[in-house]
Amino acid sequence: MKWNKDKDILAVFVGHGKSLNGTWDPGTTYGGYTEAGLMLPIVKVAVKMLRKSGVRVITDADEDNNRNMTASISWANRVGAKRVIDVHCDYPSPTASG
């Protein structure tokens, strides 16, 4: 599938965050760090750079990761996003995977 940055939409979502039942899912944790908390600023910077280069991007990072995965994918489908990226940073054992 060929990509047209002037026409096609890219969806970039923060891994974890609001879960399907409305509670907060931090993803993998270590000390005071959470996967959702670490990925939010990274996704914000990545989206800013993508938009600056002309890529049309939708992201839950604009609202500080306040959508669950079903709502995010539904949004991507509704606007016709051609690609979806969900950003994670799982940590190896002994911590649980995200």
Side-chain angles (χ1 to χ4, degrees):
M1 199 179 321
K2 191 167 174 137
W3 180 263
N4 180 336
K5 85 169 188 175
D6 297 318
K7 183 178 94 171
D8 295 333
I9 298 171
L10 173 66
V12 182
F13 300 125
V14 179
H16 298 280
K18 193 172 187 180
S19 66
L20 294 176
N21 67 7
T23 61
W24 186 253
D25 173 13
T28 301
T29 60
Y30 179 77
Y33 298 103
T34 68
E35 185 174 359
L38 290 170
M39 293 302 92
L40 180 59
I42 291 170
V43 170
K44 284 185 175 194
V45 170
V47 166
K48 182 178 178 180
M49 293 171 66
L50 286 162
R51 286 175 174 159
K52 188 175 181 178
S53 71
V55 177
R56 296 176 62 201
V57 180
I58 64 166
T59 182
D60 60 345
D62 288 340
E63 291 93 26
D64 291 331
N65 190 16
N66 68 350
R67 296 174 184 255
N68 66 46
M69 67 179 170
T70 301
S72 294
I73 296 302
S74 177
W75 179 29
N77 286 332
R78 194 170 51 256
V79 300
K82 202 163 194 178
R83 302 275 194 277
V84 174
I85 299 171
D86 200 58
V87 183
H88 292 262
C89 68
D90 293 335
Y91 191 83
S93 62
T95 60
S97 65

Coordinates of all heavy atoms in Angstrom, one line a residue:
M1 N 0.8 -1.2 0.0 CA 0.0 0.0 0.0 C 0.9 1.2 0.0 O 1.7 1.5 0.9 CB -0.9 0.0 1.2 CG -2.1 0.8 1.1 SD -3.2 0.9 2.6 CE -3.3 -0.8 3.1
K2 N 0.8 2.0 -1.1 CA 1.6 3.2 -1.2 C 1.1 4.3 -0.3 O -0.1 4.5 0.0 CB 1.6 3.7 -2.6 CG 2.6 4.7 -2.9 CD 2.8 4.9 -4.4 CE 3.7 6.1 -4.6 NZ 4.7 5.9 -5.6
W3 N 2.1 5.1 0.3 CA 1.8 6.2 1.2 C 1.8 7.5 0.5 O 2.8 7.8 -0.2 CB 2.7 6.1 2.4 CG 2.5 7.2 3.4 CD1 3.1 8.4 3.5 CD2 1.5 7.2 4.4 NE1 2.6 9.1 4.5 CE2 1.6 8.4 5.1 CE3 0.6 6.3 4.9 CZ2 0.8 8.7 6.2 CZ3 -0.2 6.6 5.9 CH2 -0.1 7.8 6.6
N4 N 0.8 8.3 0.7 CA 0.8 9.7 0.2 C 0.7 10.6 1.4 O -0.4 10.8 2.0 CB -0.4 9.9 -0.7 CG -0.5 11.3 -1.3 OD1 0.0 12.3 -0.7 ND2 -1.2 11.4 -2.4
K5 N 1.8 11.3 1.8 CA 1.8 12.1 3.0 C 0.9 13.3 3.0 O 0.5 13.8 4.0 CB 3.2 12.5 3.4 CG 3.7 13.7 2.8 CD 5.0 14.1 3.4 CE 5.4 15.5 2.9 NZ 6.6 16.0 3.6
D6 N 0.5 13.8 1.8 CA -0.4 14.9 1.7 C -1.8 14.5 1.8 O -2.7 15.4 2.1 CB -0.2 15.6 0.3 CG 1.3 16.2 0.2 OD1 1.7 16.7 1.2 OD2 1.9 16.0 -0.9
K7 N -2.2 13.2 1.6 CA -3.5 12.8 1.6 C -3.8 11.8 2.7 O -4.9 11.9 3.3 CB -3.9 12.2 0.2 CG -5.3 11.8 0.0 CD -5.5 11.2 -1.4 CE -5.3 9.7 -1.3 NZ -5.7 9.0 -2.5
D8 N -2.9 10.8 2.9 CA -3.2 9.8 3.9 C -3.0 10.2 5.3 O -2.3 11.1 5.6 CB -2.2 8.6 3.6 CG -2.5 8.0 2.2 OD1 -3.6 8.0 1.7 OD2 -1.6 7.4 1.6
I9 N -3.8 9.5 6.2 CA -3.7 9.9 7.6 C -3.0 8.7 8.4 O -3.3 7.6 8.2 CB -5.2 10.0 8.1 CG1 -5.9 11.2 7.4 CG2 -5.2 10.2 9.7 CD1 -7.4 11.3 7.7
L10 N -2.2 9.1 9.3 CA -1.5 8.2 10.2 C -2.0 8.4 11.6 O -2.2 9.5 12.1 CB 0.0 8.6 10.2 CG 0.9 7.8 11.2 CD1 1.0 6.4 10.9 CD2 2.3 8.4 11.2
A11 N -2.4 7.3 12.2 CA -2.8 7.4 13.6 C -1.7 6.9 14.5 O -1.2 5.8 14.3 CB -4.1 6.5 13.8
V12 N -1.3 7.7 15.5 CA -0.3 7.3 16.5 C -0.9 7.4 17.9 O -1.3 8.5 18.3 CB 0.9 8.3 16.3 CG1 2.0 7.9 17.3 CG2 1.5 8.3 14.9
F13 N -0.9 6.3 18.5 CA -1.5 6.2 19.9 C -0.5 5.8 20.9 O 0.4 5.1 20.7 CB -2.6 5.2 19.9 CG -3.7 5.5 18.9 CD1 -4.1 4.6 17.9 CD2 -4.3 6.8 18.9 CE1 -5.2 4.9 17.0 CE2 -5.4 7.1 18.0 CZ -5.8 6.2 17.1
V14 N -0.7 6.4 22.1 CA 0.1 6.1 23.3 C -0.3 4.7 23.8 O -1.4 4.4 24.1 CB -0.1 7.1 24.4 CG1 0.8 6.8 25.6 CG2 0.2 8.5 23.9
G15 N 0.7 3.9 24.0 CA 0.4 2.5 24.6 C -0.1 2.7 26.0 O 0.5 3.4 26.8
H16 N -1.1 2.0 26.3 CA -1.8 1.9 27.6 C -2.4 3.3 27.9 O -2.6 4.1 27.0 CB -0.8 1.5 28.7 CG -0.3 0.1 28.5 ND1 -1.1 -1.0 28.8 CD2 0.8 -0.3 27.9 CE1 -0.4 -2.1 28.4 NE2 0.7 -1.7 27.9
G17 N -2.9 3.5 29.1 CA -3.6 4.7 29.5 C -5.0 4.3 29.9 O -5.2 3.4 30.7
K18 N -6.0 4.9 29.3 CA -7.4 4.6 29.7 C -7.8 3.2 29.2 O -7.7 3.0 28.0 CB -8.3 5.7 29.2 CG -9.7 5.7 29.8 CD -10.5 6.9 29.3 CE -11.8 7.0 30.0 NZ -12.6 8.2 29.6
S19 N -8.3 2.4 30.1 CA -8.6 1.0 29.7 C -10.1 1.0 29.2 O -10.8 1.9 29.3 CB -8.4 0.0 30.8 OG -9.2 0.3 31.9
L20 N -10.5 -0.2 28.8 CA -11.8 -0.4 28.3 C -12.9 -0.1 29.3 O -14.0 0.4 29.0 CB -12.0 -1.8 27.7 CG -11.2 -2.1 26.4 CD1 -11.4 -3.5 26.0 CD2 -11.5 -1.1 25.3
N21 N -12.6 -0.4 30.6 CA -13.7 -0.1 31.6 C -13.6 1.3 32.2 O -14.2 1.6 33.2 CB -13.6 -1.2 32.7 CG -12.3 -1.2 33.5 OD1 -11.5 -0.2 33.4 ND2 -12.1 -2.2 34.3
G22 N -12.7 2.1 31.7 CA -12.6 3.5 32.1 C -11.5 3.7 33.2 O -11.2 4.8 33.6
T23 N -10.9 2.6 33.7 CA -9.9 2.8 34.7 C -8.6 3.1 34.0 O -8.4 3.0 32.8 CB -9.7 1.5 35.6 OG1 -9.4 0.4 34.7 CG2 -11.0 1.2 36.3
W24 N -7.6 3.5 34.8 CA -6.3 3.8 34.2 C -5.4 2.6 34.2 O -5.3 1.8 35.2 CB -5.6 4.9 35.1 CG -4.3 5.3 34.5 CD1 -3.0 5.1 34.9 CD2 -4.2 6.2 33.3 NE1 -2.1 5.7 34.1 CE2 -2.8 6.3 33.1 CE3 -5.1 6.7 32.4 CZ2 -2.3 7.1 32.0 CZ3 -4.6 7.5 31.4 CH2 -3.2 7.6 31.2
D25 N -4.8 2.3 33.0 CA -3.9 1.1 32.8 C -2.5 1.7 32.6 O -2.2 2.2 31.5 CB -4.4 0.3 31.6 CG -3.4 -0.8 31.3 OD1 -2.4 -1.1 32.1 OD2 -3.5 -1.3 30.2
P26 N -1.6 1.7 33.5 CA -0.3 2.3 33.4 C 0.6 1.5 32.5 O 1.7 2.0 32.1 CB 0.3 2.3 34.8 CG -0.4 1.2 35.5 CD -1.8 1.1 34.9
G27 N 0.3 0.2 32.2 CA 1.2 -0.6 31.4 C 2.3 -1.1 32.3 O 2.1 -1.2 33.5
T28 N 3.4 -1.4 31.8 CA 4.5 -1.9 32.6 C 5.0 -0.8 33.5 O 5.0 0.4 33.2 CB 5.7 -2.3 31.7 OG1 5.3 -3.3 30.8 CG2 6.9 -2.8 32.4
T29 N 5.3 -1.1 34.7 CA 5.8 -0.2 35.7 C 7.2 -0.6 36.3 O 7.5 -1.7 36.3 CB 4.8 0.0 36.9 OG1 4.7 -1.3 37.5 CG2 3.4 0.4 36.4
Y30 N 7.9 0.4 36.7 CA 9.2 0.2 37.4 C 9.5 1.4 38.2 O 9.6 2.5 37.7 CB 10.3 0.0 36.3 CG 11.7 -0.2 37.0 CD1 12.0 -1.4 37.5 CD2 12.6 0.8 37.0 CE1 13.2 -1.6 38.1 CE2 13.8 0.6 37.6 CZ 14.1 -0.6 38.2 OH 15.3 -0.8 38.8
G31 N 9.6 1.2 39.5 CA 9.7 2.3 40.5 C 8.6 3.3 40.3 O 7.4 2.9 40.3
G32 N 8.9 4.5 40.1 CA 7.8 5.5 39.9 C 7.5 5.7 38.4 O 6.7 6.6 38.1
Y33 N 8.0 4.9 37.5 CA 7.8 5.1 36.1 C 6.7 4.2 35.6 O 6.6 3.0 36.0 CB 9.1 4.8 35.3 CG 10.2 5.7 35.6 CD1 11.3 5.3 36.4 CD2 10.3 7.0 35.1 CE1 12.3 6.1 36.7 CE2 11.3 7.8 35.4 CZ 12.3 7.4 36.2 OH 13.4 8.2 36.5
T34 N 5.9 4.6 34.6 CA 4.9 3.8 34.0 C 5.1 3.9 32.5 O 5.6 4.9 32.0 CB 3.5 4.3 34.3 OG1 3.2 5.5 33.7 CG2 3.2 4.3 35.8
E35 N 4.7 2.8 31.8 CA 4.8 2.8 30.4 C 4.0 3.9 29.8 O 4.4 4.7 28.9 CB 4.3 1.4 29.9 CG 4.5 1.2 28.4 CD 4.1 -0.2 28.0 OE1 3.8 -1.0 28.9 OE2 4.2 -0.5 26.8
A36 N 2.7 4.1 30.2 CA 1.9 5.2 29.7 C 2.5 6.5 29.9 O 2.5 7.4 29.0 CB 0.5 5.1 30.3
G37 N 3.0 6.8 31.1 CA 3.6 8.0 31.4 C 4.9 8.3 30.6 O 5.1 9.5 30.3
L38 N 5.7 7.3 30.4 CA 6.9 7.5 29.6 C 6.6 7.7 28.1 O 7.3 8.5 27.4 CB 7.8 6.3 29.7 CG 8.5 6.2 31.1 CD1 9.2 4.8 31.2 CD2 9.5 7.3 31.3
M39 N 5.6 7.1 27.6 CA 5.3 7.1 26.2 C 4.6 8.4 25.8 O 4.7 8.9 24.6 CB 4.4 5.9 25.7 CG 5.2 4.6 25.8 SD 6.7 4.6 24.8 CE 8.0 5.1 26.0
L40 N 3.8 9.0 26.7 CA 3.1 10.2 26.3 C 4.0 11.4 25.8 O 3.8 11.9 24.7 CB 2.2 10.7 27.5 CG 1.4 12.0 27.2 CD1 0.4 11.8 26.0 CD2 0.7 12.4 28.5
P41 N 5.0 11.8 26.5 CA 5.9 12.8 25.9 C 6.6 12.4 24.7 O 6.9 13.2 23.8 CB 6.8 13.2 27.1 CG 6.8 12.0 28.0 CD 5.5 11.4 27.8
I42 N 7.0 11.1 24.5 CA 7.7 10.7 23.3 C 6.7 10.8 22.1 O 7.1 11.2 21.1 CB 8.2 9.2 23.6 CG1 9.3 9.3 24.6 CG2 8.6 8.6 22.2 CD1 9.8 7.9 25.0
V43 N 5.5 10.3 22.3 CA 4.5 10.4 21.2 C 4.2 11.8 20.9 O 4.1 12.2 19.7 CB 3.2 9.6 21.6 CG1 2.1 9.9 20.6 CG2 3.5 8.1 21.7
K44 N 4.1 12.7 21.8 CA 3.9 14.1 21.6 C 5.0 14.7 20.7 O 4.7 15.4 19.7 CB 3.8 14.9 22.8 CG 2.4 14.8 23.5 CD 2.3 15.7 24.7 CE 0.9 15.5 25.3 NZ 0.6 16.6 26.3
V45 N 6.2 14.4 21.0 CA 7.4 14.9 20.2 C 7.3 14.3 18.8 O 7.5 15.0 17.8 CB 8.7 14.6 20.9 CG1 9.9 14.9 20.0 CG2 8.8 15.5 22.1
A46 N 7.1 13.0 18.7 CA 7.1 12.3 17.4 C 6.0 12.9 16.5 O 6.2 13.2 15.3 CB 6.9 10.8 17.6
V47 N 4.8 13.1 17.1 CA 3.7 13.7 16.3 C 4.0 15.1 15.9 O 3.7 15.4 14.7 CB 2.4 13.6 17.2 CG1 1.3 14.5 16.6 CG2 1.9 12.2 17.3
K48 N 4.6 15.9 16.7 CA 5.0 17.2 16.4 C 5.9 17.2 15.2 O 5.8 18.0 14.2 CB 5.6 17.9 17.6 CG 6.0 19.4 17.3 CD 6.6 20.0 18.5 CE 7.1 21.4 18.2 NZ 7.7 22.1 19.4
M49 N 6.9 16.3 15.2 CA 7.9 16.2 14.1 C 7.2 15.7 12.8 O 7.5 16.2 11.7 CB 9.0 15.3 14.5 CG 9.9 15.9 15.6 SD 11.1 14.7 16.3 CE 12.1 14.5 14.9
L50 N 6.3 14.7 12.9 CA 5.6 14.2 11.8 C 4.8 15.3 11.1 O 4.8 15.5 9.9 CB 4.7 13.0 12.2 CG 5.5 11.7 12.4 CD1 4.6 10.8 13.2 CD2 6.0 11.1 11.1
R51 N 4.0 16.0 12.0 CA 3.2 17.1 11.4 C 4.0 18.2 10.8 O 3.6 18.7 9.8 CB 2.3 17.7 12.6 CG 1.2 16.7 13.0 CD 0.4 17.3 14.1 NE -0.8 16.4 14.4 CZ -1.4 16.4 15.6 NH1 -1.0 17.2 16.6 NH2 -2.4 15.6 15.8
K52 N 5.1 18.5 11.4 CA 6.0 19.6 10.8 C 6.5 19.1 9.5 O 6.7 20.0 8.6 CB 7.2 19.8 11.8 CG 8.1 21.0 11.4 CD 9.1 21.2 12.4 CE 9.9 22.4 12.0 NZ 11.0 22.8 13.0
S53 N 6.7 17.8 9.3 CA 7.2 17.4 7.9 C 6.0 17.2 7.0 O 6.2 16.7 5.8 CB 8.0 16.1 8.1 OG 7.1 15.0 8.4
G54 N 4.8 17.5 7.4 CA 3.6 17.4 6.5 C 2.8 16.2 6.5 O 1.8 16.1 5.8
V55 N 3.0 15.3 7.5 CA 2.2 14.1 7.6 C 1.0 14.5 8.4 O 1.0 15.2 9.4 CB 3.0 13.0 8.4 CG1 2.1 11.8 8.6 CG2 4.3 12.6 7.6
R56 N -0.2 14.0 7.9 CA -1.5 14.2 8.6 C -1.6 13.1 9.7 O -1.6 11.9 9.4 CB -2.6 14.1 7.6 CG -2.6 15.2 6.5 CD -3.6 15.0 5.5 NE -4.9 15.1 6.1 CZ -6.0 14.6 5.5 NH1 -6.0 14.0 4.4 NH2 -7.2 14.7 6.1
V57 N -1.6 13.6 10.9 CA -1.6 12.7 12.1 C -2.8 12.9 13.0 O -3.1 14.1 13.3 CB -0.3 12.8 12.9 CG1 -0.3 11.9 14.1 CG2 0.9 12.6 12.0
I58 N -3.4 11.8 13.4 CA -4.3 11.9 14.6 C -3.7 11.2 15.7 O -2.9 10.2 15.5 CB -5.7 11.3 14.3 CG1 -5.7 9.8 14.0 CG2 -6.4 12.1 13.1 CD1 -7.0 9.1 14.0
T59 N -3.9 11.6 16.9 CA -3.3 11.0 18.1 C -4.1 11.3 19.4 O -4.7 12.3 19.5 CB -1.9 11.5 18.3 OG1 -1.3 10.8 19.4 CG2 -1.8 13.0 18.5
D60 N -4.1 10.3 20.3 CA -4.7 10.5 21.6 C -3.8 11.3 22.5 O -4.2 11.8 23.5 CB -5.0 9.2 22.2 CG -3.8 8.3 22.5 OD1 -2.7 8.5 21.8 OD2 -3.9 7.3 23.2
A61 N -2.5 11.5 22.1 CA -1.6 12.4 22.8 C -2.0 13.8 22.9 O -1.7 14.5 23.8 CB -0.2 12.2 22.3
D62 N -2.8 14.3 21.9 CA -3.3 15.6 21.9 C -4.2 15.9 23.1 O -4.3 17.0 23.6 CB -4.1 16.0 20.6 CG -3.2 16.1 19.4 OD1 -1.9 16.3 19.6 OD2 -3.7 16.0 18.3
E63 N -4.9 14.8 23.6 CA -5.8 14.9 24.8 C -5.2 14.2 25.9 O -5.9 13.7 26.8 CB -7.1 14.4 24.4 CG -7.9 15.2 23.5 CD -7.8 14.7 22.0 OE1 -7.4 13.5 21.8 OE2 -7.9 15.5 21.1
D64 N -3.8 14.1 26.0 CA -3.1 13.4 27.1 C -3.5 12.0 27.3 O -3.7 11.5 28.4 CB -3.2 14.2 28.4 CG -2.4 15.5 28.3 OD1 -1.4 15.6 27.5 OD2 -2.8 16.5 28.9
N65 N -3.7 11.2 26.2 CA -4.0 9.8 26.3 C -5.2 9.5 27.0 O -5.3 8.6 27.9 CB -2.7 9.1 26.9 CG -2.8 7.6 26.8 OD1 -3.5 7.0 26.0 ND2 -2.0 7.0 27.6
N66 N -6.3 10.1 26.7 CA -7.6 9.9 27.4 C -8.6 9.0 26.7 O -9.8 9.0 27.0 CB -8.2 11.2 27.7 CG -8.8 12.0 26.5 OD1 -8.5 11.6 25.4 ND2 -9.5 13.0 26.7
R67 N -8.1 8.3 25.7 CA -9.0 7.3 24.9 C -8.6 5.9 25.2 O -7.4 5.6 25.3 CB -8.9 7.6 23.4 CG -9.4 8.9 23.0 CD -9.1 9.1 21.5 NE -9.5 10.4 21.0 CZ -10.5 10.7 20.3 NH1 -11.4 9.7 20.0 NH2 -10.8 11.9 20.0
N68 N -9.6 5.0 25.2 CA -9.2 3.6 25.3 C -8.9 3.1 23.9 O -9.2 3.7 22.9 CB -10.3 2.8 26.1 CG -11.6 2.7 25.3 OD1 -11.6 2.4 24.1 ND2 -12.7 2.9 26.0
M69 N -8.4 1.8 23.9 CA -8.0 1.3 22.6 C -9.1 1.2 21.6 O -8.9 1.4 20.4 CB -7.2 0.0 22.7 CG -7.9 -1.1 23.2 SD -6.8 -2.5 23.3 CE -7.9 -3.7 24.1
T70 N -10.3 0.8 22.1 CA -11.4 0.6 21.2 C -11.8 2.0 20.6 O -12.1 2.1 19.4 CB -12.6 0.0 21.9 OG1 -12.2 -1.3 22.4 CG2 -13.8 -0.2 21.0
A71 N -11.9 3.0 21.4 CA -12.2 4.3 20.9 C -11.2 4.9 20.0 O -11.5 5.5 19.0 CB -12.4 5.3 22.1
S72 N -9.9 4.6 20.2 CA -8.8 5.0 19.3 C -8.9 4.4 18.0 O -8.8 5.1 16.9 CB -7.5 4.7 20.0 OG -7.3 5.4 21.1
I73 N -9.1 3.1 17.9 CA -9.2 2.4 16.6 C -10.5 2.8 15.9 O -10.5 2.9 14.7 CB -9.1 0.8 16.8 CG1 -7.8 0.4 17.4 CG2 -9.4 0.1 15.5 CD1 -6.6 0.9 16.6
S74 N -11.6 2.9 16.6 CA -12.8 3.4 16.0 C -12.6 4.8 15.3 O -13.0 5.0 14.2 CB -13.9 3.5 17.1 OG -15.1 4.0 16.5
W75 N -11.9 5.7 16.0 CA -11.6 7.0 15.5 C -10.7 6.9 14.3 O -11.0 7.5 13.2 CB -10.9 7.8 16.6 CG -10.4 9.2 16.3 CD1 -11.0 10.0 15.4 CD2 -9.4 9.9 16.8 NE1 -10.3 11.2 15.3 CE2 -9.3 11.2 16.2 CE3 -8.4 9.6 17.8 CZ2 -8.4 12.1 16.6 CZ3 -7.5 10.5 18.1 CH2 -7.5 11.8 17.5
A76 N -9.7 6.0 14.3 CA -8.8 5.8 13.2 C -9.6 5.3 12.0 O -9.4 5.8 10.8 CB -7.7 4.9 13.5
N77 N -10.5 4.4 12.2 CA -11.3 3.9 11.1 C -12.3 4.9 10.6 O -12.5 5.0 9.4 CB -12.1 2.6 11.6 CG -11.2 1.4 11.7 OD1 -10.2 1.3 11.1 ND2 -11.6 0.5 12.6
R78 N -12.8 5.7 11.5 CA -13.8 6.7 11.1 C -13.2 7.8 10.2 O -13.8 8.2 9.2 CB -14.4 7.4 12.3 CG -15.6 8.2 12.1 CD -16.4 8.6 13.4 NE -15.5 9.2 14.4 CZ -15.1 8.6 15.5 NH1 -15.4 7.4 15.8 NH2 -14.3 9.3 16.4
V79 N -11.9 8.2 10.5 CA -11.3 9.2 9.6 C -10.5 8.6 8.5 O -10.0 9.3 7.7 CB -10.4 10.1 10.5 CG1 -11.1 10.8 11.6 CG2 -9.2 9.4 11.0
G80 N -10.5 7.3 8.4 CA -9.8 6.6 7.2 C -8.3 6.6 7.4 O -7.6 6.6 6.3
A81 N -7.8 6.5 8.6 CA -6.4 6.3 8.8 C -5.8 5.1 8.0 O -6.4 4.1 8.0 CB -6.0 6.2 10.2
K82 N -4.7 5.4 7.3 CA -4.2 4.3 6.5 C -3.2 3.4 7.3 O -3.0 2.2 6.9 CB -3.4 4.9 5.3 CG -3.3 4.0 4.1 CD -2.9 4.7 2.9 CE -3.1 3.8 1.7 NZ -2.8 4.6 0.4
R83 N -2.6 4.0 8.3 CA -1.7 3.2 9.2 C -2.0 3.6 10.6 O -2.4 4.7 10.9 CB -0.3 3.6 8.9 CG 0.2 3.4 7.5 CD 0.7 1.9 7.3 NE 1.4 1.7 6.1 CZ 0.9 1.6 4.9 NH1 -0.4 1.6 4.7 NH2 1.7 1.4 3.8
V84 N -1.8 2.6 11.5 CA -2.0 2.9 13.0 C -0.7 2.4 13.7 O -0.2 1.3 13.4 CB -3.2 2.1 13.5 CG1 -3.3 2.2 15.1 CG2 -4.5 2.6 12.9
I85 N -0.2 3.2 14.5 CA 1.0 2.9 15.3 C 0.6 3.1 16.8 O 0.1 4.1 17.2 CB 2.2 3.8 15.0 CG1 2.6 3.6 13.6 CG2 3.4 3.5 16.0 CD1 3.6 4.6 13.1
D86 N 0.8 2.0 17.6 CA 0.6 2.1 19.1 C 1.9 2.0 19.7 O 2.6 0.9 19.6 CB -0.4 0.9 19.5 CG -1.0 1.2 20.8 OD1 -1.7 2.2 20.9 OD2 -0.9 0.4 21.7
V87 N 2.4 3.0 20.5 CA 3.7 3.1 21.0 C 3.8 2.5 22.4 O 3.1 2.9 23.3 CB 4.2 4.5 20.9 CG1 5.7 4.6 21.4 CG2 4.1 5.1 19.5
H88 N 4.7 1.5 22.6 CA 4.9 0.8 23.9 C 6.4 0.8 24.2 O 7.2 1.0 23.3 CB 4.4 -0.6 23.8 CG 2.9 -0.7 23.6 ND1 2.1 -1.0 24.7 CD2 2.1 -0.6 22.6 CE1 0.9 -1.0 24.3 NE2 0.8 -0.8 23.0
C89 N 6.7 0.6 25.5 CA 8.1 0.3 25.9 C 8.1 -0.7 27.0 O 8.4 -0.5 28.1 CB 8.7 1.6 26.4 SG 8.0 2.3 27.9
D90 N 7.8 -1.9 26.6 CA 7.7 -3.0 27.6 C 9.1 -3.2 28.2 O 10.1 -3.1 27.5 CB 7.2 -4.3 27.0 CG 5.8 -4.2 26.6 OD1 5.1 -3.4 27.2 OD2 5.4 -4.9 25.6
Y91 N 9.2 -3.6 29.4 CA 10.5 -3.8 30.1 C 10.6 -5.3 30.3 O 9.6 -6.0 30.7 CB 10.4 -3.0 31.5 CG 11.7 -3.0 32.2 CD1 12.7 -2.0 31.8 CD2 12.1 -3.9 33.2 CE1 13.9 -1.9 32.5 CE2 13.3 -3.8 33.8 CZ 14.2 -2.8 33.4 OH 15.4 -2.8 34.1
P92 N 11.8 -5.8 30.2 CA 12.0 -7.2 30.3 C 11.8 -7.7 31.8 O 11.7 -6.9 32.7 CB 13.4 -7.5 29.9 CG 14.1 -6.2 30.1 CD 13.1 -5.1 29.9
S93 N 11.6 -9.0 31.9 CA 11.3 -9.6 33.2 C 12.4 -9.1 34.3 O 13.5 -8.8 33.9 CB 11.2 -11.1 33.2 OG 12.4 -11.6 32.7
P94 N 12.0 -9.1 35.5 CA 10.9 -9.7 36.1 C 9.6 -9.0 36.1 O 8.6 -9.4 36.7 CB 11.4 -10.0 37.6 CG 12.2 -8.8 37.9 CD 12.9 -8.5 36.5
T95 N 9.5 -7.8 35.6 CA 8.3 -7.0 35.6 C 7.3 -7.6 34.6 O 7.7 -8.3 33.6 CB 8.5 -5.5 35.2 OG1 9.1 -5.4 33.9 CG2 9.3 -4.8 36.3
A96 N 6.0 -7.4 34.8 CA 5.0 -7.9 33.8 C 5.1 -7.2 32.5 O 5.5 -6.0 32.4 CB 3.6 -7.7 34.4
S97 N 4.8 -7.9 31.4 CA 4.8 -7.3 30.1 C 3.5 -6.5 30.0 O 2.5 -6.8 30.5 CB 4.9 -8.3 29.0 OG 3.8 -9.1 29.0
G98 N 3.6 -5.4 29.1 CA 2.4 -4.6 28.9 C 1.6 -5.1 27.8 O 1.8 -6.0 27.1

